[in-house]
Amino acid sequence: MRVVEVDIMSKQITVVFPDNTKREFSEELTAYDIAKDISEGLAKAVIGAIYNGKTVDLSTPLKQVADDTVNLKLIKKEDEEAKGIYRHTLAHIMAQAVTRLFGPDRVALGIGPTIENGFYYDIEVKDGQITEEDLPKIEKEMKKIIKANYSISRFELPRQEALKMMEETGQHYKVELIKDLPETEAISFYKQDDFVDLCRGPHLPSTGKIKSFKLLSLAGAYWRGDEHNPMLQRIYATAFANDEELEQYLKFIEEAKKRDHRKLGPQLDLFIMDDAAAGMPFFLPKGATALLQLMEMWRKFHKEAGYVEVMTPLIMHQDLWKQSGHWDHYRENMYFIEKDEQHYAVKPMNCPGHIIMYKKDAISYRQLPWRMAEFGKVHRYEMSGVLHGLFRVRAFTQDDAHLFITPEQIVPELIGVVKLVDKMYKLFGFEYEVELSTRPENSMGTQEQWDTATQGLIEALKATGTVYTINEGDGAFYGPKIDFHIKDSLGRTWQCATCQLDFQMPERFDMTYIAADNEEHRPTMIHRTILGSLERFFGILIEHFAGSLPAWIAPVQVMILPIADRHIPNVEELKSKLEAAGLRVETDGRSKKVNYKIREAQLKKIPYMIIIGDNEIETGKISLRLRSEKEIKDMDINQFITQINQEIADYALVSPFEQV
């Protein structure tokens, strides 16, 4: 990279590095110039910089600021901040490779952003398409581009020149993007060899700076996420600083594939999806059984915490949703019905129904807090391109609750919610992180109300010793919120529980209670879920446990296997005994070898298998086999019943028989 020549009269600025050391440099030097001034080795190692909080190319000149001070961090490829830079660059390298292979006249490029753990590029190939068989060819071409080590340079063009260049090269999607840019925004491009792409950057200084990458998959993606737009092809890929990190991530992906709930769900007879109701799962008997166990546990904990359970209609008049504010803020995600010249909406949320119940009678302060909970089925329209098994659906069940409280009860009730979340998540061994989201731009209410609500959430988190981070501007339109992100066995995080403090709904619905002064006052409302969506949480559990659900959730807890047909009567007798003890039991009386049946039961992830043969009938004992393949001979059946029932009562994650 060329070092900029700077006149000796240039203004001096102070550069502050992350360790708070300071050095004087001439203004207009680039981050690369500064790295080179420090050492040749550093100049070779750096790939980008963070300049006054913004990630930039190494070639970005450091301009004068108000106090003549520049904060600068030089980024090496091993740094966390480097991932966005080299993945973004590799997206361009991938686009260049596709353009070379399919021809510049046939390729129209969409967008190529970085995402968690990788990047993608949306591409249109005219009169053809990219196939899975093309991915190795694209990788090979990318390696050629990397080996060539083309320098990467940034340049800007006036709007009309930028539009003309993209139109002449047939990049109509880029033309659309440029037209949507604000008039004041600089229109920048990046060039490597003969390939030019519209981009804000930043990028690596050359294509040879990173080599550890892998193309992962192909998918369809509507342009700009709109199903009325053309369908492009999205190539997903990943990249890391070195081969070791890449290999580790590829192993993680393989493990994640084995745990994919979309595969395990049908395999374990838990649920299916069907085009007859796209995005709306069908739960088979075993899946319904498992969900009922989750619901039973939830009901037990909520009853102990002082909640009452209610049920509200699925369809309510659209005037209700106008009053709640959902009409203005959420209409595009709702389903509507017209009947008898009346307009109704399928509920996307449960809160207005709970408010109607609250308003049925005059409420005294003595009745508060009123903790109202529901397994409420809701429907929200999601575009088909984002539907994803149980994780992104159009119909789901919220474990919803609304707490109606006085101002004095805000902090105590929020503390109760946080403790209940913690108690339930510990059942599954989940660690979690907490995020406090503040007022968004599109919101309701006064700043004073938002400040009071936000402070209440902060006090509750501090009172419970909960560590949290601030997510500025990501609150609900009616109030700030706390989100809980659980971490699964693969280290992935999932946002499930949420707790939202709301002063707006009580105002919009004119909710009141009679206080101790015999005057009407406005209650405060807490919206909260813990599992979030019952369906999504179930999908997370399937992947977290790789289908091997704990015995208390497992739809079938015990499979009894006769060695021969003559043992079937004894098997049926034992089945009745276990069912009488409250266990969920199946038998496999097929004329198959017992080892085959054991293997089948293990594939179905059944926690316990009992094998019955001549010896077991003679001794009155059982042979027990765990899905971990551990075997226990000559076990007393009553001992087994006692221990497994204790395991279920304790919501245990590990079988007590593993220690026997």
Side-chain angles (χ1 to χ4, degrees):
M1 182 177 289
R2 183 176 60 85
V3 178
V4 177
E5 295 289 340
V6 181
D7 188 275
I8 58 172
M9 298 301 291
S10 294
K11 182 178 179 64
Q12 292 293 110
I13 57 174
T14 302
V15 175
V16 183
F17 295 98
D19 62 359
N20 287 323
T21 59
K22 300 178 181 179
R23 289 186 61 174
E24 297 290 328
F25 292 96
S26 296
E27 186 185 27
E28 295 297 326
L29 285 178
T30 66
Y32 176 79
D33 297 329
I34 291 172
K36 189 175 178 65
D37 185 82
I38 295 171
S39 77
E40 289 286 347
L42 181 60
K44 291 179 180 178
V46 294
I47 64 169
I50 299 177
Y51 159 47
N52 286 344
K54 181 181 178 182
T55 307
V56 298
D57 302 312
L58 284 177
S59 57
T60 301
L62 308 184
K63 299 183 183 295
Q64 178 182 356
V65 290
D67 59 358
D68 300 332
T69 299
V70 167
N71 292 293
L72 185 70
K73 179 178 180 179
L74 297 169
I75 303 172
K76 300 178 183 179
K77 70 177 183 179
E78 295 80 13
D79 294 335
E80 185 65 27
E81 300 93 336
K83 291 178 179 177
I85 300 174
Y86 60 68
R87 287 172 178 166
H88 199 171
T89 302
L90 276 160
H92 279 219
I93 292 173
M94 182 168 71
Q96 182 180 11
V98 172
T99 302
R100 281 184 176 183
L101 290 171
F102 290 87
D105 294 336
R106 296 181 61 204
V107 173
L109 301 174
I111 58 171
T114 61
I115 55 175
E116 186 178 8
N117 296 318
F119 59 94
Y120 68 78
Y121 216 118
D122 290 344
I123 298 172
E124 178 183 75
V125 177
K126 299 168 188 173
D127 303 319
Q129 62 176 358
I130 303 166
T131 66
E132 293 286 345
E133 290 72 28
D134 291 320
L135 296 186
K137 300 174 188 175
I138 297 170
E139 281 190 354
K140 185 177 180 181
E141 192 63 34
M142 289 175 69
K143 289 175 181 176
K144 289 181 182 178
I145 296 168
I146 290 169
K147 186 176 181 180
N149 197 25
Y150 300 121
S151 63
I152 299 174
S153 58
R154 182 182 188 275
F155 65 94
E156 296 181 6
L157 289 177
R159 179 176 295 267
Q160 292 307 314
E161 287 185 35
L163 287 169
K164 182 181 178 183
M165 183 174 70
M166 291 293 96
E167 287 168 351
E168 288 177 348
T169 54
Q171 297 299 326
H172 52 281
Y173 296 114
K174 303 293 184 181
V175 169
E176 184 177 329
L177 291 173
I178 293 171
K179 288 180 177 179
D180 287 346
L181 290 174
E183 290 288 339
T184 56
E185 185 163 340
I187 301 173
S188 59
F189 296 85
Y190 280 80
K191 185 177 189 299
Q192 56 201 44
D193 190 32
D194 58 351
F195 178 77
V196 175
D197 200 359
L198 173 74
C199 189
R200 287 192 180 95
H203 283 277
L204 297 171
S206 67
T207 62
K209 283 284 187 179
I210 192 76
K211 299 177 175 64
S212 301
F213 74 95
K214 180 69 178 176
L215 303 193
L216 300 175
S217 61
L218 274 173
Y222 290 112
W223 169 237
R224 308 192 96 169
D226 187 339
E227 61 184 337
H228 299 101
N229 286 337
M231 174 75 79
L232 309 184
Q233 288 188 279
R234 177 170 294 177
I235 306 178
Y236 284 101
T238 192
F240 286 89
N242 53 60
D243 289 343
E244 290 76 19
E245 289 184 24
L246 176 62
E247 187 63 29
Q248 185 179 3
Y249 179 68
L250 294 178
K251 287 179 180 178
F252 163 83
I253 290 178
E254 286 305 310
E255 181 60 32
K257 285 180 181 177
K258 294 176 187 176
R259 295 167 177 259
D260 191 333
H261 75 284
R262 294 170 298 175
K263 175 183 175 184
L264 288 174
Q267 178 184 314
L268 301 178
D269 299 322
L270 299 174
F271 70 89
I272 58 171
M273 308 298 286
D274 192 276
D275 289 342
M280 303 180 187
F282 293 77
F283 286 98
L284 303 170
K286 287 184 172 62
T289 298
L291 289 177
L292 287 170
Q293 308 318 305
L294 285 174
M295 295 167 77
E296 185 178 312
M297 173 274 295
W298 183 95
R299 288 188 165 109
K300 175 178 181 291
F301 280 36
H302 279 72
K303 185 176 181 181
E304 292 171 353
Y307 287 76
V308 292
E309 189 171 353
V310 299
M311 299 173 70
T312 57
L314 190 64
I315 299 170
M316 290 178 272
H317 200 279
Q318 75 175 24
D319 287 349
L320 181 72
W321 304 104
K322 290 180 179 179
Q323 188 176 1
S324 70
H326 290 95
W327 182 265
D328 295 325
H329 296 270
Y330 207 74
R331 184 168 67 242
E332 67 278 4
N333 295 101
M334 295 170 66
Y335 289 93
F336 296 97
I337 296 170
E338 183 178 350
K339 197 73 174 174
D340 298 330
E341 299 182 355
Q342 294 292 313
H343 298 274
Y344 299 87
V346 182
K347 66 176 179 180
M349 297 175 185
N350 302 295
C351 24
H354 292 182
I355 291 171
I356 287 174
M357 289 180 165
Y358 177 92
K359 287 173 64 67
K360 182 179 74 71
D361 298 310
I363 301 295
S364 164
Y365 73 96
R366 293 185 178 91
Q367 295 169 268
L368 303 182
W370 186 359
R371 307 180 187 99
M372 194 183 300
E374 176 180 14
F375 280 112
K377 177 71 79 173
V378 298
H379 290 72
R380 300 177 184 177
Y381 177 72
E382 299 281 1
M383 289 184 291
S384 59
V386 301
L387 297 176
H388 183 88
L390 300 180
F391 291 163
R392 196 72 175 264
V393 291
R394 290 173 173 163
F396 58 94
T397 309
Q398 284 185 310
D399 67 315
D400 215 349
H402 294 93
L403 289 71
F404 303 100
I405 56 179
T406 68
E408 298 77 24
Q409 294 167 339
I410 289 176
V411 174
E413 288 303 307
L414 288 171
I415 289 172
V417 170
V418 173
K419 287 183 175 179
L420 185 57
V421 171
D422 181 72
K423 181 179 180 180
M424 291 181 65
Y425 282 179
K426 281 179 178 175
L427 283 187
F428 307 98
F430 284 135
E431 296 179 2
Y432 59 85
E433 297 173 350
V434 178
E435 195 173 64
L436 172 62
S437 298
T438 58
R439 186 176 190 174
E441 289 185 15
N442 184 18
S443 60
M444 300 159 52
T446 66
Q447 189 59 48
E448 182 182 359
Q449 288 174 321
W450 276 83
D451 290 343
T452 301
T454 304
Q455 187 58 39
L457 294 174
I458 290 172
E459 287 183 35
L461 290 171
K462 287 182 176 178
T464 54
T466 305
V467 177
Y468 66 95
T469 58
I470 299 288
N471 186 10
E472 294 287 354
D474 200 41
F477 67 83
Y478 47 76
K481 62 177 180 171
I482 305 170
D483 289 327
F484 295 77
H485 300 263
I486 60 176
K487 185 178 291 186
D488 70 11
S489 56
L490 292 183
R492 300 171 298 183
T493 56
W494 309 90
Q495 191 273 308
C496 292
T498 187
C499 177
Q500 303 163 356
L501 197 57
D502 182 4
F503 292 95
Q504 309 310 319
M505 289 286 184
E507 191 76 33
R508 293 177 77 93
F509 283 91
D510 192 26
M511 300 171 67
T512 61
Y513 68 92
I514 306 300
D517 61 4
N518 277 331
E519 297 292 330
E520 288 189 342
H521 291 258
R522 193 77 72 202
T524 300
M525 187 174 178
I526 296 175
H527 307 248
R528 52 111 290 203
T529 64
I530 295 180
L531 305 182
S533 151
L534 192 61
E535 291 80 357
R536 183 169 176 268
F537 193 82
F538 188 40
I540 292 168
L541 289 183
I542 292 170
E543 298 201 0
H544 178 64
F545 293 111
S548 296
L549 297 169
W552 68 273
I553 307 174
V556 179
Q557 295 164 324
V558 183
M559 176 69 79
I560 311 176
L561 308 172
I563 291 177
D565 289 350
R566 64 180 180 275
H567 305 128
I568 290 178
N570 301 85
V571 164
E572 293 299 328
E573 183 181 340
L574 178 58
K575 180 175 185 282
S576 298
K577 182 180 178 73
L578 295 177
E579 287 179 334
L583 300 176
R584 297 186 291 276
V585 187
E586 287 188 357
T587 64
D588 187 348
R590 294 177 297 170
S591 298
K592 299 280 187 179
K593 291 184 178 180
V594 72
N595 285 339
Y596 175 86
K597 291 190 280 189
I598 289 171
R599 177 63 178 156
E600 287 279 292
Q602 285 178 324
L603 289 174
K604 293 296 183 182
K605 312 287 187 179
I606 296 171
Y608 298 107
M609 289 145 274
I610 294 176
I611 293 89
I612 299 295
D614 292 338
N615 182 66
E616 287 73 26
I617 293 171
E618 183 179 334
T619 62
K621 304 285 187 180
I622 62 170
S623 291
L624 183 67
R625 186 181 180 98
L626 281 58
R627 63 185 164 201
S628 66
E629 301 189 11
K630 180 176 181 177
E631 296 182 67
I632 304 173
K633 299 288 188 182
D634 300 324
M635 171 165 280
D636 180 79
I637 185 60
N638 292 320
Q639 178 191 351
F640 171 72
I641 291 172
T642 299
Q643 288 191 245
I644 189 174
N645 274 330
Q646 189 61 53
E647 175 186 357
I648 294 165
D650 293 341
Y651 302 110
L653 298 180
V654 179
S655 167
F657 299 103
E658 291 289 356
Q659 284 79 45
V660 175

